[in-house]
Structures are given as structure tokens and as C-alpha cells.
Amino acid sequence: RLFRRIGMYNIPQQYTDWATEWSDEGGTVGYIGIEGVGIIGMYCVKDTIREEAPSVVSTLHQSDVEVIMLTGDGQGAARAVGTQIGLDESCIQSQLLPEDKLHYVSSLKGSSTDRHPSLYGGKKLILMVGDGVNDAPALTVADIGVAMGEGAALAVEMSDVILMDSNLTKLLFSMNIGAKVIATVKENIAFSIVVNLIAIVLTCFGKMTLLWAIVSDVGTMLLVTLNGMKLLSPRTIAAIERKQDGMLAVRTERKKDGERYENLNEVGSGDLELV
């Protein structure tokens, strides 16, 4: 786009075809130019996806979480990466500038849904994960901005949550522990309301004494505190990790089954190879 804008995109059709082919194969094509001469060279770079990315995306889909990829790469490269991690073409947004990502995330906010755990049901929460400078504006407008620990300093500063490394399974753990926190808060609220209602009823019938009022108030506070502290217990964390590992293992086993099936197809069709 830059070379077209400055009027230097004047390469022969053969090289244009090469650029299209590289892009369709998942590469990002770049050009080298000299002012007054034009383009003198072209190159292609290709991103490699993280090993755990397909399993994480599949787990999010199983959890009824919509996943959308926003990238500044070309359409061909974005489509190739999206296919590898299990995204439909409709969930891939390519050739986005930082302001485009900002506007897209803003447009997603406000739609209603009650599928995700929250203290105020009926709102769709937007979680943005990024690691680059170009992701920083979108991280600020999302309901929850998550930055990878090895990402750009600006993205880390603008985010709400920082993963200490770039392992995407940590994102699943953060979401699962967040859902557990919300469930615990709701339990504490419900328990407090029930105890207070019982105290009010007993007071209306003249059965509540000052001593029992103090006991119920302090006891409720202690029980609510202990219920909240269970989130810090190794047993709770281990249970969340086992659930997460189980979902990832199912995805990995399905992937292995698919690979075995593809290998059988390759063996069966070996005689049909054309050289």
C-alpha cells in the first residue's frame, strides 16, 4: 500500500504473480525501493503459530467464546494463519491499522448476551489479547485488555492483565479463575442476604437478641472471608488446571487422530503422485 501511495509500485507482472503466490501461502510480502529508481527487490516473511494456539482456540470455542483475529498482515497471510488455528474466514480481519483495530473493538462493545459469567448479566464482555504497539489502542477500549509478558512495553502498560510469558494456556487459566471468582462472589452475596433476611424475620417476631445479632453478623463475615480464601488454596488451583488440561488433551487427541487419518490417505494415494 505504501509503494502504491507514493507511485513506486511498477514491477513486472511476473513478480506481481510471485507476490500473490507468496501471500496466498501465508507470507507477508515486502519491497525494497530507491527514490527515483523504483522497486529493486522483494522479500517474504512468514509467521509461525504457537504450538498451543489451535488447542486454545478450540477450547475457547467449546466454552462458547467467540474468537476473532485482528491483524495488520495481508489477507492471504491472515487466512493461512487463521486456517491453521481453526478460525473461519468470517472471524478473520486483515490489513488493519491501529485505528482500525480500535474502531472494530469499539463496535463490538455493547451488544447483549448472557453467556459469560459476570456480576451484571446481559452484557457481552470484549477481551482483547495483544503484544504489539499496534494493539495498544484496542487494548485500552476493550472491557479487558490482556498483554503478553514478552510483548511491547506500550501494550503491557495499556493492558489490564499481563501474562508473565507468551504461553496462551495461561489465558485459559486466567479466564477460568476469573469465572471462579465471580461464582464465589455471588455465593457470598447470596449467603449474606439469606442470613440478614433470617435476622430481620427473627427481629420482627421478637426472637432476636443483641448477642445473636452480633454472632450472626460476625459469623457471616468470617464465613464469607473463608469462602473467598478457598480461591487461594492449591486444591482449587489444581482443579482448574486439571479441567483445563483435560479440555486441551481432548483437542490434542482429536488432532492426532486427524493426523493419523491424513497419513493413511497419503499412503493410500502415493501411487497417484505426479512428478
Side-chain angles (χ1 to χ4, degrees), residues 14-28:
Q14 177 186 0
Y15 300 115
T16 302
D17 295 338
W18 286 0
T20 302
E21 181 180 353
W22 292 347
S23 179
D24 292 340
E25 292 176 354
T28 299

Side-chain angles (χ1 to χ4, degrees), residues 221-231:
M221 180 184 64
L222 292 176
L223 290 177
V224 165
T225 302
L226 292 175
N227 189 43
M229 290 178 64
K230 73 180 181 182
L231 295 170

